[in-house]
């Protein structure tokens, strides 16, 4: 689970949004409609080789080639093709063999990984159990400063239990961790190379040695990163068909739109909503627009601390009641989003065996905006009109407009919301430094998770030791249910615990859900095979690209 909002210029100029855009629940208003079925998880298979493809690497170049250093769109879009994970996540979010050819969980405390003896690094050396132990344990070493350290919280030991076997032992029952091994926190690096490189491991002039279908051919650190096909890749089922894959990092929306429309770039994930209209008119390619639940992204208002003007739960409830989520999705997101009524919305359970159970519980949370009811609730609160500060990334027009909508919504019901635009660095500090949050009562975030599991999303911000519990939220009912969910092997039983936690969170609102962006993927007619789900994050997705 990641908070990533520093996407300043890519968001472009959207239509002005106001709280008076209209009202309604799900499905209200016109906007881009999904142009592929939920069952379609990739574009047509790429069957023929290609010599060179240019793809958008998102809004900036990677900070490092080390797979665990930074968890953000550029790193996760690119590095999964270089540093393969222990377990492979498919486009439909199912799991299949990666470096581990199989795995078993004999009980809640042990996960056994059986490694593929054929696995080799890009320098030809075999992937050993020692390499896998080292790679996973890096996430537990504070010196590594892994962005995935929170995923390893409940692990006691990671040990080699055979020449091609690694066993993970948990301090308490954990049936969720296996999913983390399909993200970059489960990426495998060559131990000897990493130790020799030391602090320089992953730097542009040093690089990494991993076992994926691509290696880094060049990286100028600013505008271009080029991958080359690993001609000696060990798994023929995922061997790359594109010889050279070049990632460009476009500084603004018009540059990206022009590159895609002209064919200078052949594809992009995470297309900004402002590009929907121009790219829908492209003559040499197609913009794929997903439906509800096509990503695990969620736009939320995070309460910075549970004291002050937002400390009274009735104030949080009133603001949530008054928000016109459908109007926000229509106008601020240019229609490429859906109203969101739980932080872990439809994208987190669409592919879950208990999807019907989650859907029914979610539908019970769907409400029409109720400003009158919000005013009535606030009338019960003493000093409800004291100033509330709301932080947002000032360089992002998209978030600026959303902050204005929330401010105007507050004014309609009697709340005094002051919006505070923050420079990128200062905004980024909100997620790492409590002192940076001290002067704010709340702030906006676009949050996401790399795989669909509502229990994990809720655990990240609703447990007192959750990595995203920025406000000290601690409700024993929620904690107990989420701990029970982690220890539940049966999906339906787990869903029961998660839904109980969700119901309490809907009352407490330490985070206020706002909208869920839809998947927006562009692909040139000369290339195909791209995933149409959020599974491009952390996986070997580029190996499936090819000519039609």
């Amino acid at each position: 689970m990641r908070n990533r909002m520093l996407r300043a210029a890519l968001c472009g100029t959207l239509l002005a949004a106001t709280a008076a855009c209209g009202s309604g629940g799900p499905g209200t208003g016109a906007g881009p409609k999904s142009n592929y079925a939920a069952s379609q998880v990739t574009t047509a298979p790429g069957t023929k080789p290609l010599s060179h493809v240019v793809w958008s690497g998102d809004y900036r170049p990677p900070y490092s080639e080390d797979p665990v250093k930074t968890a953000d769109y550029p790193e996760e879009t690119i590095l999964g093709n270089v540093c393969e994970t222990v377990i492979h996540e498919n486009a439909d979010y199912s799991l299949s063999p990666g470096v581990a050819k199989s795995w078993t969980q004999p009980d809640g405390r042990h996960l056994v990984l059986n490694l593929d003896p054929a696995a080799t690094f890009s320098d030809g050396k075999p992937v050993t159990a020692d390499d896998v132990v080292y790679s996973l344990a890096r996430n537990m070493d504070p010196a590594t400063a892994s962005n995935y350290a929170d995923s390893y919280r409940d692990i006691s030991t990671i040990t080699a239990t055979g020449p091609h076997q690694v066993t993970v032992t948990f301090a308490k029952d954990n049936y969720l961790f296996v999913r983390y091994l399909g993200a970059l926190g489960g990426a495998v690096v060559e131990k000897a190379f990493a130790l020799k490189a030391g602090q320089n491991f992953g730097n542009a002039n040093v690089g990494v040695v991993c076992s994926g279908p691509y290696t880094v051919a060049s990286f100028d650190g600013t505008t271009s990163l080029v991958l080359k096909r690993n001609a000696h890749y060990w798994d023929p089922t995922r061997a790359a068909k594109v010889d050279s894959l070049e990632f460009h990092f476009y500084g603004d929306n018009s540059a990206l739109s022009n590159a895609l429309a002209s064919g200078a770039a052949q594809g992009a994930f995470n297309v900004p909503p402002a590009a929907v209209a121009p790219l829908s008119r492209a003559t040499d390619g197609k913009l794929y627009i997903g439906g509800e639940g096509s990503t695990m992204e969620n736009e939320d208002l995070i309460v910075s601390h549970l004291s002050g003007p937002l400390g009274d739960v009735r104030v949080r409830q009133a603001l949530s009641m008054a928000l016109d989520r459908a109007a926000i999705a229509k106008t601020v997101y240019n229609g490429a989003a859906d109203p969101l009524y739980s932080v872990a919305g439809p994208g987190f359970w669409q592919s879950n065996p208990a999807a019907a159970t989650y859907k029914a519980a979610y539908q019970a949370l769907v409400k029409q905006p109720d400003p009158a009811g919000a005013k009535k609730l606030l009338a019960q609160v003493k000093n409800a009109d004291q100033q509330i500060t709301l932080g947002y990334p000032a360089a992002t027009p998209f978030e600026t407009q959303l902050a204005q909508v929330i401010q105007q919504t507050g004014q309609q019901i009697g709340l005094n919301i002051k919006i505070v635009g923050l420079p990128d660095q200062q905004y980024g500090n909100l997620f790492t430094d409590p002192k940076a949050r001290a002067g704010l009562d709340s702030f906006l975030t676009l949050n996401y998770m790399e795989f669909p599991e509502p229990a994990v999303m809720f655990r990240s911000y609703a447990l007192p030791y959750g990595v995203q519990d920025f406000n000290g939220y601690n409700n024993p009912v929620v904690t107990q249910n989420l701990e029970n969910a982690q220890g539940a092997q049966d999906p339906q039983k787990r869903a029961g615990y998660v839904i109980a936690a969700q119901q309490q969170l809907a009352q407490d609102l330490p985070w206020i859900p706002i909208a869920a962006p839809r998947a927006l993927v562009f692909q040139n007619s000369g290339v195909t095979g791209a995933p149409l789900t959020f599974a491009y994050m952390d996986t070997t997705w580029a190996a499936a690209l090819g000519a039609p």
Side-chain angles (χ1 to χ4, degrees), residues 501-524:
Q502 176 178 260
Q503 290 169 339
Q504 187 64 52
L505 287 166
Q507 294 298 312
D508 296 346
L509 293 174
W511 288 24
I512 299 176
I514 300 172
R518 294 186 173 199
L520 295 172
V521 181
F522 186 86
Q523 186 177 261
N524 184 275

Side-chain angles (χ1 to χ4, degrees), residues 98-383:
V99 172
K101 66 177 182 180
S102 65
W103 58 94
T104 59
Q105 193 155 3
D107 55 59
R109 300 294 180 99
H110 299 90
L111 175 63
V112 181
L113 306 170
N114 300 303
L115 309 183
D116 193 326
T120 58
F121 290 110
S122 58
D123 61 3
K125 297 178 182 177
V127 176
T128 69
D130 194 35
D131 289 308
V132 174
V133 170
Y134 170 78
S135 299
L136 301 185
R138 292 182 73 224
N139 295 281
M140 303 167 66
D141 182 357
T144 303
S146 169
N147 262 267
Y148 301 88
D150 54 289
S151 310
Y152 285 73
R153 175 184 175 86
D154 294 330
I155 290 179
S156 298
T157 61
I158 304 173
T159 56
T161 48
H164 301 289
Q165 188 180 84
V166 170
T167 298
V168 180
T169 302
F170 305 101
K172 53 188 175 183
D173 287 0
N174 190 331
Y175 287 100
L176 299 176
F177 179 76
V178 65
R179 294 292 328 212
Y180 293 116
L181 294 180
L184 284 180
V188 179
V189 303
E190 187 180 274
K191 178 181 178 180
F193 183 90
L195 291 176
K196 182 178 180 180
Q199 293 298 314
N200 294 319
F201 181 70
N203 290 351
N205 60 340
V206 175
V208 297
V209 174
C210 295
S211 63
Y214 282 95
T215 61
V216 178
S218 64
F219 181 29
D220 64 11
T222 55
T223 60
S224 174
L225 185 152
V226 180
L227 301 184
K228 65 179 179 180
R229 183 173 62 88
N230 180 1
H232 304 292
Y233 182 56
W234 60 278
D235 184 353
T237 66
R238 282 198 290 271
K241 293 177 281 295
V242 176
D243 291 334
S244 175
L245 180 61
E246 183 172 2
F247 290 95
H248 283 192
F249 309 98
Y250 297 95
D252 61 70
N253 176 63
S254 60
L256 174 62
S257 296
N258 290 338
L260 293 171
S262 68
Q266 284 78 59
F269 302 115
N270 202 27
V271 172
V276 170
L279 290 180
S280 295
R281 297 190 295 268
T283 57
D284 190 20
K286 181 178 180 180
L287 177 66
Y288 293 84
I289 302 170
E292 184 182 24
S294 52
T295 74
M296 286 82 73
E297 293 178 299
N298 46 93
E299 180 76 44
D300 311 294
L301 184 149
I302 299 178
V303 178
S304 303
H305 46 87
L306 297 174
S307 59
L310 287 173
D312 192 313
V313 69
R314 292 171 294 184
V315 178
R316 304 196 295 274
Q317 290 171 347
L319 180 57
S320 181
M321 288 171 63
L323 284 174
D324 192 337
R325 290 169 169 84
I328 289 171
K330 174 185 174 181
T331 311
V332 177
Y333 292 85
N334 218 9
D338 295 286
L340 185 65
Y341 301 92
S342 171
V343 172
F348 286 83
W349 39 259
Q350 293 278 32
S351 60
N352 195 291
T357 302
Y358 282 113
K359 182 177 181 179
Y362 182 78
Q363 289 299 319
L365 301 177
V366 174
K367 306 291 183 185
Q368 296 287 331
D370 184 9
K375 287 181 180 180
K376 185 176 181 181
L377 184 60
L378 285 177
Q380 305 172 18
V381 181
K382 185 178 180 180
N383 299 324

